[in-house]
Amino acid sequence: MHEHRDGTNTFTPHVGGVAHSVVSLSEVLRELGHPVLIVAPDYAEAARSENDILRVPAIQNFNGSDFSVPIPFTRSLEKTLNAFEPDTVHSHHPFLLGDTALRIAASRALPTVFTYHTRYELYGHYVAQDAPFLQRLVLNLAAGYCDLCEHIIAPTSSIADLLRHHDVTKPITMIPTGIDLARFADGDRPRLRSRLE
């Protein structure tokens, strides 16, 4: 049984693709019998009793956004990891907790898997006004992060192509983020179709 540690800068209650992907992945791994520990930033709205989730302190509403910026390394993280004993580290961001994931993996001689969810260079407006230099820098940092990991997961072929174009040398596997079709089973197709026509 593999113990899997997922690190993410965005997670529930934040609503978004990365949070959805981490939840889906952890559910599937648990169904297969693998223990999973998720390390995610604290949010004011986060549930106070979550199983197998370690919330790390975070700066709330970074730069006016709905993101929390985690303060990566804490004693509680080290203590929790010692008790959990992961055999794989899975990072979902190259920055902030992504850096912590690499340090944890290196200090424990563990492999690191990285899912490249986001075109980070397109989010420069959170730091500066869409500066081309900043976009290149962020893309180069993210591609460099990939080469520090053992394996990369790309949710789309366009992300896999982007990484190959930027000379990422580590193996890349395309695994689309799944959709829980059961959530849509009770939908009213005719009503929706009539509203959209």
Side-chain angles (χ1 to χ4, degrees):
M1 185 171 353
H2 294 288
E3 296 188 352
H4 189 85
R5 180 246 181 222
D6 265 320
T8 178
N9 292 331
T10 56
F11 192 62
T12 60
H14 174 82
V15 176
V18 176
H20 168 74
S21 178
V22 173
V23 168
S24 298
L25 174 63
S26 63
E27 288 172 352
V28 169
L29 288 170
R30 288 179 181 130
E31 286 172 12
L32 294 171
H34 302 288
V36 175
L37 171 67
I38 297 170
V39 179
D42 197 10
Y43 284 87
E45 306 85 22
R48 292 300 117 198
S49 59
E50 299 172 303
N51 291 329
D52 303 322
I53 299 172
L54 175 64
R55 295 287 182 168
V56 296
I59 300 166
Q60 306 293 313
N61 302 107
F62 175 72
N63 204 18
S65 72
D66 60 346
F67 291 101
S68 289
V69 176
I71 301 167
F73 203 78
T74 64
R75 287 183 195 214
S76 64
L77 174 57
E78 185 67 22
K79 183 178 173 183
T80 302
L81 289 171
N82 287 340
F84 184 72
E85 297 181 340
D87 58 17
T88 304
V89 174
H90 189 157
S91 172
H92 293 270
H93 296 277
F95 311 110
L96 302 170
L97 282 176
D99 182 56
T100 302
L102 287 177
R103 280 191 266 136
I104 288 167
S107 70
R108 296 167 183 266
L110 299 174
T112 306
V113 175
F114 171 51
T115 299
Y116 197 106
H117 294 279
T118 306
R119 297 281 311 270
Y120 301 98
E121 73 279 10
L122 302 180
Y123 286 81
H125 57 279
Y126 283 119
V127 180
Q129 291 300 317
D130 298 321
F133 168 77
L134 182 61
Q135 289 180 342
R136 285 190 306 276
L137 174 65
V138 168
L139 186 55
N140 288 337
L141 289 171
Y145 183 89
C146 291
D147 280 330
L148 296 173
C149 300
E150 277 66 43
H151 201 97
I152 312 304
I153 296 172
T156 64
S157 58
S158 62
I159 292 289
D161 292 344
L162 173 78
L163 296 175
R164 288 184 188 106
H165 178 75
H166 282 86
D167 301 323
V168 170
T169 60
K170 296 297 173 134
I172 301 169
T173 302
M174 194 187 80
I175 303 174
T177 301
I179 297 172
D180 180 6
L181 295 177
R183 290 183 58 204
F184 304 99
D186 294 333
D188 185 346
R189 282 180 165 184
R191 190 181 99 210
L192 179 61
R193 186 174 299 278
S194 69
R195 281 184 30 204
L196 296 175
E197 290 179 340

